[in-house]
Amino acid sequence: MAYSLGMTLTEERAIIGALSPSRAGDFMTCPLLYRFRVIDQLPEKPSAAAVRGTLVHAVLERLYDLPADGRTVVAAQELLEPQWRRLLAEEPDYGALFVDDGERDDWLEQARAMLGRYFTLEDPRRLEPAERELYVEAVLDSGLMLRGYIDRLDVAPTGEVRVVDYKTGSAPGPDFEAKALFQMKFYALVLWRQQGSVPRMLQLMYLGNGEVLRYLPDEADLRATERKVQALWEAIDRSLRTREWRARRSRLCDWCDHQALCPEFGGTPPPVPDREPRPSRRLPRRAATDEL
């Protein structure tokens, strides 16, 4: 039986705004990046690494459609090319990521290696996830909507919940571990606000280097996360009112598509459009840039 999320989420409460873990992370990384993505809605080119993340996620989601005894390394790797063809049919521009067939084949081989690494971390034949690629949302007392997609939700016979997220990069060092866990605590907060119980475990699976990060949250953790998220939204709201979006330089700038418009790199942002982020009733399916 599927895990019931009891979607009595928004009721009649007025929604003041919406945040996902990815967009919250954007603002924490660089307020100007948040503006470019959410307010200006500037186009971005997905990287080969991000699209590979989408592909590996798609394979792992569909792996659990197979009978338990059929969830093998070979079966997962056989799903890879059909899923790549599906993604390419949906997004033909993905074909332009590679200069030639050899580069594409090397990229697919890296994805194949990540799938093989997954099987060194757990045995999918022994698991029956309650949910996969699960959309969740909850509204805080302030009216702020939190929402996002959870890769996998496992529910034990005793009712304990494990939130699982696949990452196709490598595990972060100690300085970045808290940032990685923020996303998971965000999901745990949403589930807690929906169901009234704290998930037992948060599990990040890094398929880039085969490491697993596990964390056992408690109510104090999630209350602190809620305060952080609320403060973050208040900072976003200030930027919306003042129309000031500060650029924050970091190592992540090397992967940003918007350097030509960024003051940190000698650029000039366009005028702020007269557009505010208005929460829709449903978060669009996450982009390739959210999959790493």
Side-chain angles (χ1 to χ4, degrees):
M1 181 180 294
Y3 177 61
S4 172
L5 288 176
M7 293 292 198
T8 58
L9 307 168
T10 56
E11 301 170 346
E12 299 302 321
R13 193 178 303 149
I15 307 300
I16 63 170
L19 272 181
S20 68
S22 297
R23 300 295 76 82
D26 287 344
F27 191 84
M28 289 188 291
T29 297
C30 173
L32 186 59
L33 176 62
Y34 176 96
R35 181 204 136 174
F36 285 157
R37 285 181 167 168
V38 178
I39 310 300
D40 297 80
Q41 299 177 17
L42 299 181
E44 295 182 350
K45 295 179 182 178
S47 68
V51 176
R52 185 174 57 224
T54 300
L55 176 58
V56 170
H57 277 73
V59 170
L60 291 175
E61 181 184 356
R62 287 158 180 81
L63 178 67
Y64 285 95
D65 289 334
L66 301 176
D69 60 2
R71 298 171 196 159
T72 64
V73 176
V74 171
Q77 293 177 340
E78 286 177 347
L79 288 169
L80 190 66
E81 295 211 25
Q83 287 304 309
W84 168 235
R85 290 194 295 270
R86 179 187 64 80
L87 290 177
L88 198 56
E90 293 174 357
E91 299 286 349
D93 289 348
Y94 287 173
L97 291 169
F98 314 105
V99 296
D100 54 33
D101 290 350
E103 185 175 89
R104 180 205 59 212
D105 291 346
D106 288 344
W107 177 85
L108 284 169
E109 190 58 37
Q110 291 167 355
R112 195 169 285 111
M114 289 177 181
L115 291 171
R117 199 169 290 122
Y118 165 72
F119 282 80
T120 69
L121 303 178
E122 64 182 6
D123 184 352
R125 295 172 300 180
R126 300 171 62 88
L127 295 168
E128 290 297 340
E131 301 286 353
R132 288 167 282 150
E133 194 65 16
L134 175 67
Y135 175 78
V136 294
E137 66 177 38
V139 180
L140 304 182
D141 291 341
S142 66
L144 177 63
M145 177 191 290
L146 307 183
R147 57 192 184 176
Y149 284 94
I150 294 174
D151 287 342
R152 198 178 88 210
L153 206 68
D154 299 335
V155 181
T158 55
E160 293 178 315
V161 173
R162 176 171 62 183
V163 182
V164 179
D165 196 74
Y166 308 119
K167 297 295 184 187
T168 48
S170 296
D175 292 344
F176 292 92
E177 192 172 285
K179 184 176 180 180
L181 279 173
F182 170 76
Q183 174 190 13
M184 302 301 283
K185 291 180 180 180
F186 188 108
Y187 291 141
L189 172 60
V190 174
L191 293 171
W192 180 42
R193 287 307 184 200
Q194 283 181 343
Q195 296 299 107
S197 59
V198 176
R200 171 63 176 166
M201 179 181 290
L202 311 178
Q203 179 169 299
L204 279 158
M205 306 183 73
Y206 288 94
L207 307 183
N209 63 350
E211 293 187 25
V212 178
L213 177 60
R214 297 182 177 91
Y215 187 81
L216 304 180
D218 57 26
E219 286 195 11
D221 278 327
L222 301 191
R223 291 187 192 281
T225 300
E226 183 168 346
R227 290 193 296 271
K228 179 174 182 176
V229 168
Q230 189 64 49
L232 188 61
W233 177 255
E234 291 168 4
I236 292 171
D237 187 58
R238 273 195 303 275
S239 290
L240 287 168
R241 288 186 280 104
T242 63
R243 301 169 74 86
E244 294 179 3
W245 301 90
R246 184 167 57 88
R248 181 179 297 135
R249 192 163 187 154
S250 73
R251 285 181 290 175
L252 297 177
C253 294
D254 293 342
W255 291 275
C256 183
D257 280 357
H258 309 302
Q259 286 188 11
L261 299 174
C262 179
E264 290 292 320
F265 294 87
T268 302
V272 180
D274 292 323
R275 181 190 302 127
E276 292 189 8
R278 298 187 181 279
S280 65
R281 291 299 303 126
R282 181 83 168 179
L283 182 68
R285 189 163 180 91
R286 55 180 161 187
T289 50
D290 298 335
E291 296 282 16
L292 290 173

